[in-house]
Amino acid sequence: MKKSTTAVIAVSTFGLGLGAGAVGMLATGGTDTVTTSSSGESGDWKKVDQVRQMISQYYLEDVTDQELLEGALSGMTEVLDDPYSVYMDESETASFNTNLSSSFEGIGATLEQKGEAIVIVAPIKGAPAEKAGIKPGDVIVEIDGKSTKGQKTDQAVKKIRGEKGTEVVLTIQRGGQDPMKITIERDTIPIETVYSETEQVNGKTIGVLQVTQFSDPTAEEFEKQLAALEAKNIDGLVIDVRGNPGGLLTAVSKMIAPFIPKDTPIFQVEDNKGDRTQEFGKADAKKPYNIVVLEDNGSASASEILAAGLKEGAGAEVVGTKSFGKGIVQSAYDLKDGSDLKLTTNKWLTPDGNWIHKKGVKPTVEVKQPAYFNVTKILTDDKALNVGDYGKSVENAHLVLEAIGYDPKGQDGYYGDTMKQAVEQLQKDAKLEVTGKIDPVTASEMETRLLKKLEDSKNDVQRIKALEVAAE
């Protein structure tokens, strides 16, 4: 059994087709020797074949030996109660191995299993999921009208991904809101992972590098765009990894090594015996500008290595909210038939030896986005909102009206006369039928205007603060 040379540290991506939360070890290559027992325990394994024969002989429906074998292999990883340890069949493995180095077809989002819930970690920048309003923390209740109860992430992945131009309907539970259906058209998602620009802040030039995931070309893209920014004599650098679910460990290691001194670890890896190995920085001198990492709760795995590595290893400030909290590592093993086994084998630790698993990387400067950033859908079904209604949908509508410049006044969660007046004014301005009710057409107008506000960087308070910190 060969240990995979692909190093991945990421949460599960259904746009990419990653199974149940693939996270990989260092790209060391080589072959691992697996020993088998010849003791009396082997007799217990005979029970597996006995059950297989009984099913083949007596089960009412048709089932093949291959289906039973795949089920048995998947069951071995499921019993570990670890969403990151997973058996992937040949087709799933092939998809996994190609997606990080090419474009792919899907909706472009990442998911994670929390208990029995399938949870959105983050949509990919510009992907259909983001455009449809998917948010970090959304719980997928149904896929195309069928409940996700009892499903694993790899099962959800298979149902959500698909060919360009086809649609999938996700029923989403967001916080205490009623479930809402979101229809998403699948598309081709290009692997463009680094975006750069400069901003002038208080007379200083600040470079901004947004990294959306860590794939094969990311480190090279990052290096080129950083060099172009440095040629402009930047006074500060903001590295934005908000909503970044992770990716190749080798990529993030190459990216941050030039920022961290040679005698300082980038990160540490601890095995099940407590033995540690360290990856060290490559910097001869400190960068001549301030470094700021911008993160949120959708920043996971490799993004957290970047944030923690620069925070503890290079003295960077971290702005935003606490990151996702994924501090374990999976080793990938290629099986002879083209299938793949990924097992949780290690912890990864920060330069100072801290374990951020289920804790996240804490920002040095905490900044939350305005509440309206968490609102996407106003109506959870086609039923209109009207005077006298109350609840979460009304509260969301109140937030949106305020955000787009129509002050509803009154109580946040109650549809009163002043809210009706605000809706009527919006309808007049948008040349809609003036009813004072928030019907699907009015809700769509409100959501469109809100999206424009969210896309305007002038309203991104986390980014604004990060730029200010970089300019200090």
Side-chain angles (χ1 to χ4, degrees):
M1 183 164 58
K2 184 180 179 183
K3 190 172 183 179
S4 172
T5 58
T6 301
V8 183
I9 181 161
V11 296
S12 174
T13 308
F14 51 70
L16 298 176
L18 308 190
V23 183
M25 260 299 281
L26 300 175
T28 55
T31 302
D32 286 359
T33 302
V34 179
T35 59
T36 57
S37 172
S38 60
S39 66
E41 291 182 0
S42 61
D44 293 334
W45 288 101
K46 293 180 181 178
K47 188 187 299 183
V48 175
D49 189 56
Q50 184 180 11
V51 171
R52 179 192 65 80
Q53 292 183 44
M54 293 174 71
I55 292 175
S56 297
Q57 186 173 356
Y58 300 115
Y59 183 58
L60 179 63
E61 305 292 344
D62 290 334
V63 60
T64 66
D65 278 354
Q66 184 62 33
E67 289 171 331
L68 292 174
L69 175 60
E70 296 291 333
L73 293 170
S74 296
M76 284 190 222
T77 57
E78 288 177 8
V79 78
L80 301 175
D81 196 25
D82 173 16
Y84 304 108
S85 292
V86 59
Y87 166 78
M88 301 172 71
D89 63 27
E90 186 175 357
S91 63
E92 291 170 330
T93 300
S95 176
F96 173 81
N97 288 336
T98 59
N99 281 329
L100 283 171
S101 58
S102 63
S103 63
F104 59 89
E105 293 182 353
I107 70 171
T110 60
L111 63 84
E112 171 76 354
Q113 189 158 359
K114 290 187 176 181
E116 294 185 354
I118 306 295
V119 182
I120 300 291
V121 175
I124 295 173
K125 178 181 172 64
E130 182 187 56
K131 293 177 180 178
I134 294 293
K135 295 287 186 182
D138 286 347
V139 177
I140 303 174
V141 180
E142 294 178 346
I143 302 170
D144 286 331
K146 295 184 179 180
S147 174
T148 59
K149 186 176 182 180
Q151 289 187 16
K152 300 295 183 182
T153 48
D154 58 330
Q155 295 172 308
V157 164
K158 291 179 181 179
K159 295 177 181 178
I160 294 172
R161 68 187 180 191
E163 295 182 359
K164 175 182 178 179
T166 60
E167 292 184 341
V168 61
V169 180
L170 301 184
T171 303
I172 295 296
Q173 179 86 50
R174 180 175 298 158
Q177 300 180 33
D178 294 331
M180 55 186 167
K181 295 183 183 297
I182 299 180
T183 301
I184 308 173
E185 182 176 329
R186 302 176 178 100
D187 200 353
T188 300
I189 315 297
I191 303 296
E192 184 178 357
T193 60
V194 183
Y195 304 82
S196 63
E197 61 181 326
T198 58
E199 294 276 4
Q200 295 298 316
V201 182
N202 300 327
K204 295 184 178 181
T205 301
I206 307 302
V208 180
L209 285 169
Q210 182 182 19
V211 184
T212 59
Q213 68 180 68
F214 299 88
S215 62
D216 273 342
T218 303
E220 184 177 351
E221 290 176 14
F222 184 89
E223 182 180 355
K224 288 180 179 179
Q225 296 189 43
L226 175 61
L229 291 175
E230 290 181 334
K232 298 177 181 179
N233 296 317
I234 55 175
D235 301 295
L237 176 68
V238 174
I239 304 175
D240 187 350
V241 290
R242 290 177 297 174
N244 183 327
L248 294 173
L249 183 58
T250 50
V252 67
S253 179
K254 289 178 182 177
M255 289 161 62
I256 65 175
F259 293 90
I260 298 173
K262 292 181 178 179
D263 59 351
T264 302
I266 299 173
F267 59 85
Q268 305 181 56
V269 175
E270 182 178 304
D271 64 20
N272 58 3
K273 297 180 177 64
D275 296 330
R276 294 186 184 183
T277 57
Q278 299 176 321
E279 184 86 1
F280 286 90
K282 296 181 179 180
D284 291 316
K286 184 178 180 181
K287 292 287 187 180
Y289 48 76
N290 294 330
I291 303 168
V292 176
V293 178
L294 186 51
E295 67 168 22
D296 63 11
N297 62 353
S299 305
S301 297
S303 292
E304 294 174 294
I305 287 180
L306 182 144
L310 293 178
K311 178 183 178 182
E312 295 181 3
E317 298 286 352
V318 178
V319 174
T321 56
K322 186 174 65 173
S323 64
F324 183 78
K326 185 162 187 14
I328 52 178
V329 179
Q330 278 68 46
S331 294
Y333 298 91
D334 297 328
L335 305 179
K336 290 182 178 180
D337 64 352
S339 58
D340 194 85
L341 178 66
K342 290 181 174 63
L343 290 175
T344 297
T345 54
N346 299 78
K347 301 176 182 179
W348 73 261
L349 309 171
T350 70
D352 292 342
N354 297 314
W355 193 34
I356 60 92
H357 193 57
K358 297 184 179 180
K359 300 175 184 177
V361 178
K362 293 182 179 179
T364 56
V365 182
E366 184 175 15
V367 182
K368 296 180 180 179
Q369 297 285 40
Y372 61 78
F373 269 73
N374 296 318
V375 179
T376 303
K377 298 288 287 184
I378 297 171
L379 301 180
T380 56
D381 51 35
D382 292 334
K383 183 180 178 181
L385 298 176
N386 200 359
V387 173
D389 289 340
Y390 60 91
K392 193 67 180 179
S393 293
V394 176
E395 183 179 334
N396 286 340
H398 194 284
L399 283 170
V400 174
L401 285 168
E402 280 186 329
I404 62 177
Y406 295 88
D407 188 0
K409 301 183 175 64
Q411 291 179 268
D412 289 351
Y414 178 73
Y415 203 129
D417 291 335
T418 55
M419 187 168 183
K420 178 183 177 183
Q421 293 168 10
V423 172
E424 289 174 339
Q425 187 59 54
L426 168 69
Q427 291 170 333
K428 288 178 184 177
D429 293 345
K431 295 180 171 55
L432 303 176
E433 182 182 0
V434 180
T435 63
K437 299 178 182 180
I438 302 179
D439 55 16
V441 174
T442 302
S444 178
E445 177 68 23
M446 292 169 63
E447 290 161 2
T448 298
R449 294 188 180 208
L450 176 64
L451 183 59
K452 290 180 179 179
K453 188 176 181 73
L454 296 178
E455 291 175 342
D456 188 343
S457 61
K458 293 179 182 178
N459 300 312
D460 188 344
V461 297
Q462 290 179 332
R463 186 177 186 274
I464 291 170
K465 185 61 178 180
L467 290 168
E468 290 175 352
V469 173
E472 291 176 353

